[in-house]
Amino acid sequence: MILIDGKKAAAELREELKKEVANLKTKHNKVPGLTVILIGDMTPSQIYVRNKEKSANEVGLKSEVIRYPNTVEEKTVLEKIKELNQDETVSGILVQLPLPKHINKQKVIETIDPLKDVDGFHPMNVGNLSSGYESSVPCTPLGCYLLIKKIEPNLSGKKAVVVGRSNLNGKPMTQLLLKENCTVTVTHSKTKDLKAECLEADIIIAAVGIPELVKGDWVKKDTIVIDVGINKTDKGIVGDVDFDEVSKNAKALTPVPGGVGPMTIACLLKNTIDCFKRSQI
Ligand code: NAD
C-alpha cells in the first residue's frame, strides 16, 4: 500500500511556488499578495490563519492579516473587502470561516472580486469550475486532486465515489474529477447503500465529518482512498476512513493527520499566485 505523504507533497509544491514567486518578482518587479480577514477569537481559526501567514511568507508572498473583534459590523467587513478589491498589491482575499452569526457568509463571499477569490467560493468561480472553464478552485479539493494525480496521472474512465456533497469539498471535488473524465458518483447522508457504492470505486474521496465511516470491507483492492475528514475523538484526531482496516485493501491512502491537510494551505498559496498571474495578463 502506498501511504500518500501529504506533508512531503505540500513541501514539494511550496518549493515550486517559491521558485515561481522569485521568477514573477524578476519579471514584474512585484510579488503576489494574500490578505486574510480574521473575525473573532476562535482558536482553530487563529491557528489556521497563523499557518497560512507562515506558509505565505515562506514562499515569498506578501501576506497580511486583518483582524476584527467578534462584534464587528457586517458593513465594516464588506467595506474592507471592497477596498481590498481595488488594491493592486492584493492578489488574493480570504475571509476565514466560520463567521459570527450576524454576518451573512454569502454576502461576504459575493463581495470578494471573483478574480481575487482564492477560496474559490464565489458563485462565478463555482460556475466556471462546473462549466470546465478556468477558475479558482477550493483549496482542499484541489489538494486532493493533486495527490490523486501523483498516484494515477491518467484518470480517464476511472470510477470515483465522492462521499459528501458540501460546497467546500464534495461538489468541487466532483467537478475536478469530471474534468478528468472520471465517472463520478456523489454520495451523501441520504445515499441508500454507501458500502455498495464504495465497492464500485477506483477512487474514493471521503469528506463527511464522521470518524472512520469508510470501513475496510467497503474498499476493493487497488482503490485510491483520500481521507479529507478531521475529527476530534477520544483517541485523538482521526479521519473519515478507518485507516488500519482500509490500509489492508487500498492501493494508496492518505493518513490523518499528514495527508490532505498540508496540501490545503499549499493550494491556497498556489491559488494566490494563479490570481496574480491572471491579473497580469
Ligand atoms: P459538511 O458537514 O459541510 O458536509 C458533510 C457532507 O457529508 C454532507 O454533504 C452530508 O450529506 C454528507 N454526509 C453526512 N453523513 C453522511 C453519511 N452517513 N454518509 C454519507 N455522506 C454523509 O462537511 P465538510 O465541510 O465537507 O467537511 C467534511 C470533513 O472534512 C470534516 O471532518 C472537516 O473537518 C474536514 N475538512 C478537512 C479539511 C482539510 O484541510 N483536510 C478542510 C475542510 C474540511
Side-chain angles (χ1 to χ4, degrees):
M1 207 257 329
I2 303 167
L3 184 67
I4 304 174
D5 188 342
K7 269 191 194 163
K8 185 164 167 256
E12 286 167 3
L13 178 55
R14 283 198 304 273
E15 213 37 57
E16 277 172 34
L17 296 175
K18 197 173 173 177
K19 285 184 198 140
E20 200 170 356
V21 172
N23 288 339
L24 289 170
K25 192 174 178 183
T26 311
K27 189 169 169 196
H28 300 284
N29 202 24
K30 54 187 173 184
V31 294
L34 171 66
T35 298
V36 176
I37 296 182
L38 174 62
I39 302 170
D41 49 14
M42 266 183 57
T43 315
S45 293
Q46 283 179 331
I47 296 170
Y48 291 141
V49 169
R50 204 181 309 135
N51 289 339
K52 286 169 184 172
E53 198 180 13
K54 188 171 156 261
S55 303
N57 288 330
E58 242 176 63
V59 302
L61 299 182
K62 178 180 149 303
S63 110
E64 178 192 24
V65 180
I66 297 170
R67 292 181 166 79
Y68 289 114
N70 239 315
T71 50
V72 66
E73 281 186 50
E74 182 183 274
K75 76 168 191 300
T76 307
V77 178
L78 298 181
E79 284 310 314
K80 177 51 80 179
I81 294 172
K82 286 178 194 161
E83 192 187 309
L84 296 170
N85 284 343
Q86 299 303 322
D87 186 337
E88 280 188 9
T89 68
V90 176
S91 324
I93 304 167
L94 180 151
V95 181
Q96 183 64 45
L97 303 178
L99 297 173
K101 282 203 176 68
H102 66 280
I103 298 182
N104 183 320
K105 182 175 92 176
Q106 202 53 25
K107 229 186 211 177
V108 165
I109 289 172
E110 288 179 21
T111 303
I112 297 173
D113 179 346
L115 294 172
K116 296 190 177 190
D117 168 35
V118 280
D119 256 338
F121 295 160
H122 191 287
M124 196 180 283
N125 282 318
V126 175
N128 278 339
L129 177 64
S130 63
S131 302
Y133 300 140
E134 194 174 327
S135 67
S136 280
V137 178
C139 305
T140 303
L142 180 58
C144 295
Y145 167 80
L146 295 175
L147 290 177
I148 296 167
K149 289 282 280 184
K150 268 184 185 282
I151 304 293
E152 186 61 70
N154 182 7
L155 298 176
S156 185
K158 299 282 180 202
K159 284 192 178 179
V161 170
V162 179
V163 189
R165 58 173 162 186
S166 70
N167 291 339
L168 180 65
N169 289 308
K171 284 182 193 159
M173 191 71 240
T174 300
Q175 297 302 343
L176 287 169
L177 292 166
L178 281 174
K179 231 174 156 178
E180 288 287 325
N181 298 319
C182 287
T183 302
V184 190
T185 302
V186 186
T187 64
H188 46 77
S189 56
K190 302 286 187 280
T191 296
K192 288 222 169 88
D193 190 346
L194 190 55
K195 176 179 173 180
E197 300 294 348
C198 287
L199 275 169
E200 294 286 316
D202 301 312
I203 304 160
I204 297 173
I205 296 97
V208 187
I210 300 179
E212 300 176 331
L213 174 73
V214 177
K215 308 291 180 223
D217 62 353
W218 293 21
V219 176
K220 65 179 169 71
K221 291 263 179 235
D222 287 341
T223 301
I224 299 171
V225 183
I226 305 292
D227 189 352
V228 179
I230 302 176
N231 307 295
K232 261 192 190 166
T233 68
D234 294 343
K235 60 176 187 182
I237 301 283
V238 302
D240 292 342
V241 173
D242 184 333
F243 183 88
D244 293 342
E245 288 301 316
V246 170
S247 58
K248 290 178 192 159
N249 275 347
K251 171 181 175 181
L253 173 62
T254 56
V256 176
V260 173
M263 284 300 279
T264 296
I265 293 188
C267 286
L268 170 66
L269 310 178
K270 175 174 164 43
N271 280 351
T272 305
I273 294 166
D274 288 346
C275 284
F276 174 86
K277 289 197 294 197
R278 281 184 216 118
S279 75
Q280 300 304 307
I281 294 167

